[in-house]
Amino acid sequence: MYLKSVRDERKIIMAIRIGILGYGNLGRGIEAAIRQNSDMELVGVFTRRNPESVTIRTEGVGVYNISDLEGMKDKIDVLILCGGSATDLPSQTPEYVKYFNVVDSFDTHAKIPEHFENVDKNAKESGKIGIISVGWDPGMFSLNRMYAGAILPEGKDYTFWGKGVSQGHSDAIRRIDGVLDAKQYTIPVEKALEAVRNGENPELSVREKHTRVCYVVAEDGADKGRIEQEIKTMPNYFADYDTTVYFISKEELDRDHSGIPHGGFVIRSGKTGFNGENKHVIEYSLKLDSNPEFTSSVIIAYARAAYRLNQEGQKGCKTVLDIPPAYISAESADELRRKLL
Amino acid sequence: MYLKSVRDERKIIMAIRIGILGYGNLGRGIEAAIRQNSDMELVGVFTRRNPESVTIRTEGVGVYNISDLEGMKDKIDVLILCGGSATDLPSQTPEYVKYFNVVDSFDTHAKIPEHFENVDKNAKESGKIGIISVGWDPGMFSLNRMYAGAILPEGKDYTFWGKGVSQGHSDAIRRIDGVLDAKQYTIPVEKALEAVRNGENPELSVREKHTRVCYVVAEDGADKGRIEQEIKTMPNYFADYDTTVYFISKEELDRDHSGIPHGGFVIRSGKTGFNGENKHVIEYSLKLDSNPEFTSSVIIAYARAAYRLNQEGQKGCKTVLDIPPAYISAESADELRRKLL
């Protein structure tokens, strides 16, 4: 109620009008995040599905077919692209930046330079802002790797992920014959974390950094020994890790493993001094109950930056590395200096 | 050797010419940090003392009197102001930004808005860049408070300092009658840290957040009971804390407590979801062997940003909150996207 009244008041002044394309976990996270930001309002959710089959949670806001998007280009300040990195975003982000300021969470690290070029070209032509690869990795983790590396040029970076659910690994288990459902957790190895934190600069193998724990629901009568063996020897996904497999019931899986937690650690350990005599450790970590909701919260903060940059007349593709920190905050530069510096 | 040859090569292209005003712990830290950054070179050290009484560690670089500074304004790209926040910087930063791009580490939090205005006015007139309050708190801690607050608008901030040496508290002990020397460590309370990390959002008193441990060298025959009592009841400095006092010999103090370590934790705990059902914890921490050398490393990275902003024709006062992250890195935007995002 508090939020709503504030939002209503500010709407008159400057509410940033947000559109959501794609209504999966991320789209729902964006919808929830908008409610926490009184300078934003949701204008519409766009989907490739039949709009009538999609029910959203924000009263008075419509669901539209994706084909209606272009016609609403004057009603939306920033369009959030909530599709997947494999097939949706490589085409959607360059396409929609022709009409909108956009933010995406493109996370195929190796293809970011190519994606950047595609978005940048079209954004420069349209005069819009496209912010790509927003979230926590890529995103806040990248940012922290960059800051730490610039501050301690003589040092070593470490990234650990987890404890968290890997959708890709869970899917890989589900494709095994005899498996009804599964959830896979990636867990950083505490001993490795401690060695890094102590500034020991260890060389760590894949196996030494993370373990994998799998909760598997097997079909009645399935050969559990064979399933466990198939998981543990699966190339790329599990073979290089110490993997533990637990067979549980569907009820247990639904009761104890329905969340999508994640997180991780970015650590840089470096030296300063005329003879490198002083060690320093910079650590950034996240512990997230909901991976998609946290990613959404980062995205919506950067939607604010996209809007402001565009208002200033800037255009082109940007990443979290390019954007002045204060642009993502709802508070004024004066307030930030007074309260946070 | 490797660094030196790289620096020599790049010097021809674009080395950023750095001047240092003030040669205490921070000035020496800046001198050491310049050696780790191949795109920078030290042009001179400036002092209020007799230059002949100051010996620096970089061969071929001169020590000058502060009165020579103005005459060298075309030889220096960025002047680093290494004086204190109490009396030096409030006058030096607004003064020298008339002639130079400057970076300071002004850390009197309450006076930052006033200092900002003073520097901004003169910098806008001179066409130079002045970056103030650079270091870790204010500095990297401020930045992390800002990012975390923008991402999780419904949440709570915590800052813990230590384990580290507080110069102010050590000085306060040294002023007690019968004390020859002393070192004071500020230590975060582990139980409080854990409660915050668990997302419990505790309300913490001053006493519940930090403890203070003092190592004191007393004069022969001094009343140690009285000294301990004076420390523990000292208003503002110790009275509100659980304080432990150890009396040790001068030899032990010099052997075990000659370093200037510090560090700390910035933690934000917040909620997302339609009903605030998901908790998230963002934590940034530093563990520093040398407080002044780490501060110097942050400053020198921001000197790069000052230079670049000025090259672009920007002017005025900036803080870490205003500066695009990539501006502090020696690597190009392309490289950063490819390697770190």
Side-chain angles (χ1 to χ4, degrees):
Chain A
M1 287 310 100
Y2 156 73
L3 265 180
K4 195 160 166 47
S5 74
V6 174
R7 189 190 302 149
D8 287 345
E9 230 170 69
R10 299 196 63 166
K11 224 182 244 181
I12 304 158
I13 312 168
M14 57 157 278
I16 302 170
R17 301 166 301 169
I18 305 288
I20 295 173
L21 175 55
Y23 197 67
N25 283 332
L26 195 62
R28 281 192 293 274
I30 297 289
E31 184 184 12
I34 289 170
R35 296 184 178 212
Q36 293 190 321
N37 288 279
S38 57
D39 59 343
M40 308 216 178
E41 63 172 325
L42 179 60
V43 173
V45 169
F46 299 82
T47 175
R48 279 177 297 215
R49 293 178 268 173
N50 173 2
E52 284 172 23
S53 73
V54 175
T55 307
I56 68 169
R57 310 219 6 198
T58 309
E59 269 184 42
V61 171
V63 180
Y64 306 89
N65 188 268
I66 189 170
S67 60
D68 295 327
L69 250 178
E70 269 189 60
M72 287 179 72
K73 74 191 187 69
D74 297 329
K75 295 198 172 70
I76 294 170
D77 293 315
V78 186
L79 179 66
I80 312 295
L81 304 174
C82 300
S85 296
T87 57
D88 299 328
L89 300 176
S91 60
Q92 283 181 355
T93 315
E95 174 61 21
Y96 288 106
V97 84
K98 294 179 187 169
Y99 314 102
F100 300 97
N101 300 306
V102 298
V103 183
D104 80 17
S105 60
F106 185 77
D107 67 358
T108 312
H109 292 260
K111 294 191 175 168
I112 286 174
E114 179 188 337
H115 190 54
F116 182 92
E117 293 305 328
N118 294 339
V119 176
D120 194 51
K121 184 173 170 293
N122 291 356
K124 283 192 172 135
E125 277 173 24
S126 68
K128 298 292 184 184
I129 292 284
I131 310 183
I132 63 162
S133 303
V134 179
W136 58 277
D137 198 2
M140 298 313 292
F141 272 19
S142 326
L143 198 55
N144 276 278
R145 282 189 283 263
M146 203 230 80
Y147 275 117
I151 292 168
L152 295 175
E154 294 178 14
K156 200 163 153 52
D157 276 331
Y158 294 87
T159 302
F160 293 85
W161 292 274
K163 180 187 174 175
V165 171
S166 163
Q167 302 288 4
H169 288 76
S170 301
D171 290 344
I173 300 171
R174 286 189 202 106
R175 285 190 294 265
I176 293 173
D177 198 43
V179 170
L180 284 176
D181 204 350
K183 213 75 180 258
Q184 193 268 183
Y185 294 91
T186 306
I187 302 173
V189 174
E190 196 59 40
K191 211 178 76 179
L193 258 177
E194 280 312 308
V196 170
R197 282 192 185 124
N198 290 337
E200 296 170 23
N201 281 1
E203 292 292 335
L204 297 166
S205 67
V206 160
R207 188 178 301 273
E208 285 167 329
K209 284 184 73 183
H210 298 93
T211 55
R212 299 193 178 280
V213 174
C214 314
Y215 294 89
V216 180
V217 181
E219 283 174 12
D220 276 352
D223 179 349
K224 292 180 179 172
R226 191 255 314 153
I227 291 173
E228 180 166 345
Q229 193 57 24
E230 278 195 43
I231 294 173
K232 290 184 169 178
T233 57
M234 197 185 295
N236 302 320
Y237 285 87
F238 294 98
D240 298 333
Y241 298 84
D242 289 334
T243 301
T244 310
V245 177
Y246 297 104
F247 289 94
I248 61 175
S249 68
K250 177 68 176 157
E251 291 66 39
E252 287 170 307
L253 191 83
D254 291 344
R255 185 190 68 208
D256 302 333
H257 304 283
S258 64
I260 320 176
H262 221 310
F265 305 81
V266 170
I267 306 176
R268 186 169 180 90
S269 152
K271 290 175 175 180
T272 64
F274 288 97
N275 302 301
E277 62 272 33
N278 287 312
K279 285 196 301 192
H280 306 277
V281 178
I282 304 173
E283 176 169 343
Y284 179 81
S285 71
L286 295 173
K287 196 166 61 184
L288 314 175
D289 271 2
S290 165
N291 184 352
E293 284 183 10
F294 186 81
T295 300
S296 299
S297 295
V298 179
I299 288 175
I300 213 68
Y302 278 92
R304 183 178 289 120
Y307 174 75
R308 291 177 177 174
L309 289 166
N310 180 249
Q311 290 286 104
E312 287 180 6
Q314 294 200 48
K315 58 190 178 179
C317 189
K318 307 275 180 191
T319 76
V320 295
L321 306 179
D322 306 310
I323 291 170
Y327 277 56
I328 76 166
S329 172
E331 303 201 65
S332 72
D334 276 352
E335 281 175 304
L336 291 175
R337 274 194 296 275
R338 194 164 40 80
K339 288 159 47 178
L340 293 182
L341 207 67
Chain B
M1 287 308 101
Y2 155 73
L3 266 180
K4 194 159 169 47
S5 75
V6 173
R7 189 192 301 150
D8 287 346
E9 231 171 69
R10 298 197 63 166
K11 226 181 242 183
I12 304 159
I13 311 169
M14 56 156 278
I16 302 169
R17 299 167 303 170
I18 304 289
I20 295 173
L21 175 55
Y23 196 67
N25 283 334
L26 195 62
R28 282 192 292 273
I30 298 289
E31 185 185 13
I34 289 170
R35 297 183 178 212
Q36 293 190 320
N37 289 279
S38 56
D39 58 344
M40 308 214 177
E41 63 172 327
L42 179 60
V43 173
V45 169
F46 300 84
T47 175
R48 279 178 296 215
R49 293 179 267 172
N50 173 2
E52 283 170 25
S53 73
V54 175
T55 307
I56 67 169
R57 312 222 1 200
T58 309
E59 271 184 41
V61 171
V63 180
Y64 306 89
N65 188 268
I66 188 170
S67 60
D68 296 327
L69 250 177
E70 269 190 61
M72 288 178 73
K73 75 190 187 69
D74 296 330
K75 295 197 173 70
I76 294 170
D77 293 315
V78 186
L79 179 66
I80 313 296
L81 304 174
C82 300
S85 295
T87 57
D88 300 328
L89 299 176
S91 61
Q92 284 182 353
T93 316
E95 174 61 20
Y96 288 106
V97 83
K98 294 179 186 167
Y99 314 102
F100 300 97
N101 300 306
V102 299
V103 183
D104 80 16
S105 61
F106 184 78
D107 66 358
T108 312
H109 291 260
K111 294 191 175 168
I112 287 174
E114 180 188 338
H115 189 55
F116 182 93
E117 293 306 329
N118 294 339
V119 176
D120 194 50
K121 183 173 169 294
N122 291 357
K124 284 195 172 131
E125 276 173 25
S126 68
K128 299 291 183 183
I129 292 284
I131 310 183
I132 62 162
S133 302
V134 180
W136 59 276
D137 197 1
M140 299 313 292
F141 272 19
S142 327
L143 198 56
N144 276 279
R145 282 189 281 263
M146 202 231 81
Y147 275 117
I151 292 167
L152 295 175
E154 293 177 15
K156 200 162 154 50
D157 276 331
Y158 295 87
T159 303
F160 292 86
W161 293 273
K163 180 187 173 178
V165 171
S166 164
Q167 301 289 4
H169 288 77
S170 302
D171 290 343
I173 299 171
R174 287 190 202 105
R175 284 191 294 265
I176 294 174
D177 198 42
V179 170
L180 286 175
D181 204 350
K183 214 74 181 258
Q184 193 268 183
Y185 294 90
T186 306
I187 302 172
V189 174
E190 197 59 40
K191 212 179 76 180
L193 258 176
E194 281 311 308
V196 170
R197 283 192 184 124
N198 290 337
E200 295 169 22
N201 281 359
E203 292 292 336
L204 297 167
S205 68
V206 161
R207 190 178 300 273
E208 286 167 326
K209 285 184 74 183
H210 298 94
T211 56
R212 299 194 178 279
V213 174
C214 315
Y215 294 89
V216 180
V217 181
E219 282 173 14
D220 276 352
D223 180 350
K224 292 179 180 173
R226 190 254 315 153
I227 291 173
E228 179 165 347
Q229 194 57 22
E230 279 197 41
I231 294 172
K232 290 184 170 178
T233 57
M234 198 184 295
N236 301 320
Y237 285 87
F238 294 99
D240 297 334
Y241 297 84
D242 289 333
T243 301
T244 310
V245 177
Y246 297 104
F247 289 94
I248 60 175
S249 68
K250 178 69 177 158
E251 291 66 40
E252 286 170 308
L253 190 83
D254 291 344
R255 186 189 67 208
D256 302 334
H257 303 284
S258 64
I260 319 174
H262 220 310
F265 305 81
V266 170
I267 306 176
R268 187 169 179 89
S269 151
K271 289 174 176 182
T272 64
F274 288 97
N275 301 301
E277 61 273 33
N278 287 311
K279 284 197 302 193
H280 307 278
V281 178
I282 303 174
E283 176 170 344
Y284 179 81
S285 71
L286 296 173
K287 197 167 60 183
L288 314 175
D289 271 2
S290 165
N291 184 351
E293 286 184 9
F294 187 81
T295 300
S296 299
S297 296
V298 180
I299 288 175
I300 214 67
Y302 277 92
R304 183 178 287 121
Y307 174 74
R308 291 178 176 171
L309 290 165
N310 179 249
Q311 290 287 103
E312 287 180 6
Q314 293 200 47
K315 58 190 178 180
C317 189
K318 308 276 179 189
T319 76
V320 297
L321 306 178
D322 306 310
I323 292 171
Y327 278 55
I328 75 165
S329 171
E331 303 201 66
S332 71
D334 275 354
E335 281 175 304
L336 291 175
R337 276 194 296 275
R338 193 163 40 79
K339 288 159 47 180
L340 292 183
L341 208 68

